[in-house]
Amino acid sequence: MLLDPLQSRAQFGHALRHHYAILAVNADSHAAVTDVLEAAREAQAPVIIETSLWQLEGRAYGAGDAVLGLARYLAELAVLANGTRYRGVPVIYHTDHIRGPKTVAILTAALQGVEVRLSVGTGLVRASTVSLDASSLTDDENVALVCRLAEIAAAAGAPATIEMEANVDEGPTPPERTRRLIAPVEARHPGVVWLWAPGLGTRHGLGDGYPDFRVDRIGENVNLVRELTGRAVGLALHGSSGLDAASLSAAARAGVVKVNWSSESLLLRSGAARAYYEERAPQFDPKHPRWKETVMDNGVQSFIAARYVPRVAERMKLLGSGGQGPAFLGTLWR
Ligand SMILES: [Zn+2]
């Protein structure tokens, strides 16, 4: 079930209260989206599927046009996540690390939504949650841009559920910076920030352990944001690929509710693809009896899925989210 912005807030609240985190996978292709949904179904876990600019502009979606890519992504998730097979999986669609001159156009489309015709009727489908890339922004620019998104959503009569980030690769975010970012947004647009992504000592990419990572910073951040906003806001952890299993699991228990996962996911998928082409090399001869089934897109995609899906489900369980999908949906339908 594709969650709307308000249901997504409830989902984050459920994760925070029950001390688990939701895996947020950057999915590059239609096959990757299917694999992530399958893993969530298997683990009975809620899931966040997210797209950065490169997925929206990539071959599988916008082929250079990010707004078209967003519409295609939303339509795909609305059809898949609301269909029979994944109806019991809470699915959040998040726009992640949107940057550059098209930022406002892309996020306006995400907040306003696109028309999608479904078996249950035509509907406006919106991104569940949004965030932008703050790495090249000053704090004032970051605040101004988040406020602008809140204004665009309000003008469209749409709720905005926003993840606000510091530049996480710069190292642990000091409390004064958290105040400088969160407080002015809260003063001008109370109740739009529902995720906080401070630097926690991890970095984007495939890190090899993070000696600077400390779990106690998580609780400190949650407490500070509660003081600034008056509500319970969980954290988003960027750069999780190089973090060890024990730290990830402890982070989820301590107040991280969203764990972004991209680099390691790419490594797993590309490694499986490489093994496919190496192991099946003789079958690429057109005279081979299994040639056609080997060279179809479905050949490599199914091979990757068999190796990738169990690893995704395993990571969801590591974050404590196994079984939490039905538990959360039960609270919505009560
Ligand atoms: Zn990130």
Side-chain angles (χ1 to χ4, degrees):
M1 174 186 174
L2 185 62
L3 302 186
D4 67 24
L6 297 179
Q7 291 164 337
S8 300
R9 295 177 189 177
Q11 171 67 88
F12 296 140
H14 189 266
L16 194 58
R17 283 194 305 280
H18 296 275
H19 309 287
Y20 66 92
I22 308 162
L23 189 64
V25 187
N26 272 76
D28 286 19
S29 65
H30 309 283
V33 168
T34 304
D35 291 351
V36 173
L37 289 173
E38 275 300 303
R41 184 174 182 270
E42 193 182 303
Q44 295 197 296
V47 66
I48 300 167
I49 296 185
E50 58 186 18
T51 49
S52 300
L53 195 53
W54 85 81
Q55 281 104 9
L56 296 178
E57 288 182 336
R59 200 74 199 154
Y61 292 98
D65 179 343
V67 175
L68 172 67
L70 178 89
R72 204 171 165 188
Y73 216 108
L74 276 172
E76 175 172 329
L77 276 182
V79 170
L80 269 179
N82 293 325
T84 319
R85 189 165 178 81
Y86 304 114
R87 190 83 194 144
V89 177
V91 180
I92 287 173
Y93 169 63
H94 179 81
T95 63
D96 177 58
H97 288 295
I98 305 297
R99 69 178 104 188
K102 291 183 235 160
T103 299
V104 171
I106 295 165
L107 293 177
T108 297
L111 291 162
Q112 291 177 346
V114 297
E115 285 284 344
V116 178
R117 213 178 78 194
L118 299 167
S119 56
V120 288
T122 301
L124 202 57
V125 183
R126 297 186 172 106
S128 314
T129 58
V130 301
S131 69
L132 48 88
D133 185 286
S135 61
S136 60
L137 304 177
T138 65
D139 289 349
D140 287 347
E141 287 168 342
N142 191 356
V143 166
L145 207 42
V146 169
C147 287
R148 183 146 176 223
L149 297 180
E151 281 152 20
I152 289 165
T161 298
I162 297 176
E163 172 184 333
M164 190 163 193
E165 64 155 82
N167 186 355
V168 302
D169 288 344
E170 278 179 357
T173 304
E176 55 274 19
R177 189 165 191 204
T178 302
R179 290 177 192 279
R180 206 157 62 228
L181 288 169
I182 302 279
V185 172
E186 194 61 24
R188 287 164 61 187
H189 298 281
V192 299
V193 173
W194 287 88
L195 285 168
W196 167 232
L200 291 167
T202 60
R203 290 179 66 82
H204 289 99
L206 267 176
D208 192 14
Y210 294 108
D212 216 17
F213 179 82
R214 285 204 342 250
V215 171
D216 56 349
R217 289 199 190 102
I218 293 166
E220 289 166 14
N221 269 278
V222 171
N223 289 340
L224 179 53
V225 178
R226 193 196 303 267
E227 178 199 313
L228 296 170
T229 64
R231 62 182 176 277
V233 171
L235 303 192
L237 173 66
H238 291 240
S240 76
S241 285
L243 200 57
D244 62 277
S247 300
L248 272 172
S249 163
R253 288 193 302 272
V256 165
V257 296
K258 173 174 181 273
V259 172
N260 289 15
W261 193 54
S262 177
S263 299
E264 194 192 16
S265 166
L266 291 173
L267 186 71
L268 290 171
R269 294 187 72 78
S270 60
R274 193 168 76 179
Y276 179 77
Y277 291 111
E278 284 169 2
E279 286 173 24
R280 305 282 161 98
Q283 293 176 209
F284 283 83
D285 177 350
K287 294 195 184 64
H288 193 283
R290 304 190 69 179
W291 173 73
K292 198 155 187 181
E293 66 189 81
T294 307
V295 298
M296 281 175 181
D297 282 7
N298 186 57
V300 66
Q301 288 165 356
S302 300
F303 186 93
I304 293 170
R307 284 146 189 83
Y308 178 75
V309 172
R311 297 292 296 275
V312 181
E314 185 187 300
R315 201 165 179 90
M316 289 168 169
K317 290 174 193 161
L318 174 69
L319 300 178
S321 65
Q324 295 290 355
F328 167 67
L329 291 179
T331 67
L332 273 192
W333 295 333
R334 224 179 9 234

